[in-house]
Amino acid sequence: MRGKRTMTLNLTQVEMEALDELTKRKELSKTAVIRQALRLYQAVDARLESGEKLFFEDELAKTKVEVFML
Amino acid sequence: MTTNTKYDDLPSHEWLRRMAKLEDRCSSVSVGGLAEKLGMLGSQQLPALPPKLEAKALAKLVEFSRRKKRWSVEDLASRSGLTPAEALDAEEGDTLPEPRVLFALSEVLKVSYDKLLRLTGYVTKRDQTVETAAIRFAARSESMERLNSEEEKALHEFIRALAE
Amino acid sequence: MSEYPIAIIRREDDVVVKATLHDSVKPEDLLLVEEAWNPMRFGLHKKLLVENVDRADWPESLHWDWSKKAHQLQFLQATGFGITCEGAWEGAMLTLTVAHTARLTKDKGKPLVYIDYIEIAPWNWSVSPLGLTGRHKGIGTILFRAAVQQSLNEEFSGRVGLHALPQAITFYQDVCGMTDLGHDPKKENLLYFELSREQARKFLDVGGAT
């Protein structure tokens, strides 16, 4: 499936600002940010589906917090 | 999945030759991902050593014989007097079983204990027949899938070589 | 899957030969790769044993299995690359785009292409203890170049990261010009290497560090 399709994205003002901020910080276009987000969501979701858990780890504080995703 | 598909920015032949010559001086281009996932990395950052051919042949002999008899690992253990862990280790082939384990296996698999000792190197007198049979068996039994007719044939030939 | 004409070098007469770079290979392609490579890997293993070659000199990918990675290609973040020449798979690579981010200070936290697996076909290996010199050369370089190009295509500015096995350190450091960022305790203490945007440009234009 090589061809690309165009879609319109409806975002709130706050969401648009978050997207803009990410494009600046990651030096990516809006499309690239959304693409990365989709890839990450798919990868994380697949592991959660298989029974694994997602954690944030703070190596300095030596803490681990589970990330709950709906 | 890539976004754009622009890999047609080709390097010059000069670039290719120079880089290929440099690459040639290196032993490998292997990266860690696969080695890690296959559990091939040890604490000294070297990939785990593959088992010797003889240990592999023995492991396959045990596994194929068990499967042919439709025994579980627990069945093999109880019939041979081994613990389930010992039976499992014998099938995995990462380390050579102790002589006591080999004796138990020889009894239940009805093969020569002496030949198993020679196969695994506990007895140093070389047995060319056993070694050749082991290599041939290991080569023909690479797949770990169900025991098909080829594998059965390979198993029979190897057992014949090991029988008293 | 798309195909691009490329070139590799035939070792026998040092002639540049036509080859094909495939991007977005399918899971079944990796099965074909493994089907083609496995018999020779097994044969080399036996020869190394019979010739009593020091284990430290054994190729580190001797027991790899590309069929075990085929499932990863179902994920958007994974891309499979392959090189064929006269119908034979000469090299393969799998990259990821969200698994890792840049660690070099200048672009810390920004996305990069991470090379998860890369391998040259066993018939292209040079195994000196066995007197084997390999059929083609330049495969590793071309695959690495494809990773850099993917990084540019993805708007990652050419950034690439990977954890090198010990035998490959020279290739990534000296030939590709990557920066050694030290041992990574989260990856069995392997050395982590990263290619910055500047190093990517240099690699594409003139080649590696040496």
Side-chain angles (χ1 to χ4, degrees):
Chain A
M1 284 248 285
R2 305 299 307 167
K4 291 191 195 134
R5 288 155 66 175
T6 304
M7 63 177 283
T8 303
L9 208 55
N10 293 318
L11 298 177
T12 65
Q13 181 63 27
V14 173
E15 286 166 344
M16 272 306 298
E17 284 167 8
L19 182 54
D20 281 335
E21 202 265 330
L22 278 168
T23 62
K24 287 192 187 77
R25 205 148 48 82
K26 301 295 178 182
E27 226 179 300
L28 296 173
S29 65
K30 290 187 178 63
T31 303
V33 168
I34 300 289
R35 191 173 280 125
Q36 283 292 87
L38 179 58
R39 288 164 173 172
L40 181 62
Y41 196 4
Q42 186 199 46
V44 167
D45 190 56
R47 295 185 83 151
L48 290 173
E49 283 283 304
S50 72
E52 290 183 78
K53 290 180 180 175
L54 181 65
F55 287 90
F56 280 131
E57 187 182 17
D58 185 330
E59 287 180 315
L60 289 173
K62 295 198 188 332
T63 56
K64 235 191 227 185
V65 175
E66 189 176 349
V67 179
F68 291 97
M69 282 179 62
L70 296 173
Chain B
M1 187 170 78
T2 54
T3 52
N4 303 323
T5 53
K6 287 184 187 167
Y7 295 98
D8 46 12
D9 173 23
L10 298 176
S12 65
H13 284 185
E14 188 211 330
W15 185 97
L16 176 63
R17 283 192 186 285
R18 183 164 20 89
M19 295 300 285
K21 195 174 167 186
L22 291 172
E23 183 184 335
D24 232 16
R25 294 184 200 157
C26 308
S27 325
S28 163
V29 301
S30 306
V31 300
L34 178 48
E36 186 197 21
K37 284 196 171 56
L38 293 182
M40 288 171 61
L41 299 177
S43 57
Q44 288 159 355
Q45 299 177 42
L46 287 175
L49 301 177
K52 284 185 70 152
L53 207 59
E54 292 82 2
K56 193 173 179 183
L58 177 71
K60 288 203 182 291
L61 169 70
V62 174
E63 191 222 344
F64 280 23
S65 299
R66 175 182 63 74
R67 281 164 55 200
K68 186 173 158 55
K69 295 177 198 303
R70 296 182 195 272
W71 291 348
S72 65
V73 174
E74 287 79 9
D75 289 334
L76 172 65
S78 67
R79 286 167 193 270
S80 61
L82 297 171
T83 65
E86 283 170 337
L88 203 56
D89 282 345
E91 275 196 16
E92 281 177 355
D94 292 329
T95 53
L96 284 175
E98 296 170 13
R100 173 185 61 81
V101 173
L102 289 179
F103 181 75
L105 289 172
S106 73
E107 294 277 287
V108 76
L109 300 178
K110 301 206 185 333
V111 295
S112 161
Y113 174 50
D114 180 53
K115 289 195 175 177
L116 284 189
L117 288 174
R118 286 192 220 166
L119 174 70
T120 49
Y122 283 112
V123 168
T124 53
K125 182 181 170 188
R126 290 191 67 175
D127 188 325
Q128 195 66 43
T129 315
V130 169
E131 282 180 18
T132 307
I135 290 172
R136 204 181 299 128
F137 176 63
R140 289 166 65 189
S141 56
E142 176 65 5
S143 168
M144 298 291 273
E145 296 299 324
R146 68 188 189 286
L147 206 52
N148 57 34
S149 57
E150 267 302 304
E151 287 170 329
E152 284 228 28
K153 194 175 163 200
L155 176 64
H156 284 140
E157 284 175 13
F158 190 41
I159 288 179
R160 204 180 311 133
L162 292 174
E164 288 179 306
Chain C
M1 182 167 75
S2 295
E3 299 175 357
Y4 305 88
I6 55 161
I8 55 178
I9 298 177
R10 188 169 56 214
R11 190 182 297 279
E12 175 190 32
D13 48 11
D14 211 40
V15 163
V16 174
V17 295
K18 288 181 186 171
T20 305
L21 173 72
H22 305 262
D23 83 330
S24 300
V25 299
K26 298 186 287 298
E28 47 267 39
D29 294 319
L30 292 188
L31 299 182
L32 290 174
V33 165
E34 189 54 34
E35 195 177 57
W37 294 1
N38 188 267
M40 184 154 175
R41 277 210 202 99
F42 187 66
L44 275 170
H45 179 196
K46 279 198 321 194
K47 275 203 187 106
L48 289 163
L49 280 170
V50 166
E51 299 296 327
N52 220 19
V53 174
D54 195 312
R55 295 286 168 103
D57 295 327
W58 287 27
E60 281 168 337
S61 64
L62 198 59
H63 281 255
W64 284 23
D65 185 347
W66 280 87
S67 65
K68 286 184 163 54
K69 281 151 300 311
H71 71 282
Q72 275 196 255
L73 291 180
Q74 67 182 296
F75 296 112
L76 295 170
Q77 73 148 330
T79 304
F81 291 88
I83 291 178
T84 56
C85 182
E86 294 172 358
W89 290 98
E90 302 286 345
M93 176 173 70
L94 195 141
T95 63
L96 303 172
T97 51
V98 295
H100 297 261
T101 54
R103 302 184 197 186
L104 283 168
T105 311
K106 189 179 171 191
D107 283 333
K108 197 174 167 75
K110 290 183 185 158
L112 52 65
V113 164
Y114 180 78
I115 299 179
D116 205 19
Y117 310 124
I118 184 170
E119 194 184 10
I120 316 300
W123 52 78
N124 291 323
W125 296 352
S126 288
V127 188
S128 341
L130 298 180
L132 297 173
T133 51
R135 208 181 288 171
H136 294 111
K137 49 185 181 174
I139 313 266
T141 309
I142 293 293
L143 284 173
F144 186 81
R145 187 183 173 96
V148 176
Q149 286 172 316
Q150 183 194 9
S151 178
L152 289 169
N153 292 342
E154 297 280 354
E155 301 177 29
F156 299 171
S157 306
R159 289 185 294 272
V160 173
L162 54 89
H163 289 84
L165 287 180
Q167 286 177 356
I169 288 169
T170 312
F171 177 68
Y172 292 108
Q173 190 163 259
D174 299 339
V175 180
C176 301
M178 301 179 88
T179 302
D180 171 1
L181 286 169
H183 293 281
D184 187 347
K186 291 200 167 71
K187 201 91 172 180
E188 303 278 344
N189 265 335
L190 290 176
L191 282 174
Y192 174 72
F193 286 89
E194 200 164 292
L195 192 78
S196 68
R197 62 175 82 202
E198 293 82 11
Q199 289 165 335
R201 198 67 259 159
K202 186 177 175 223
F203 173 83
L204 291 174
D205 291 343
V206 299
T210 54

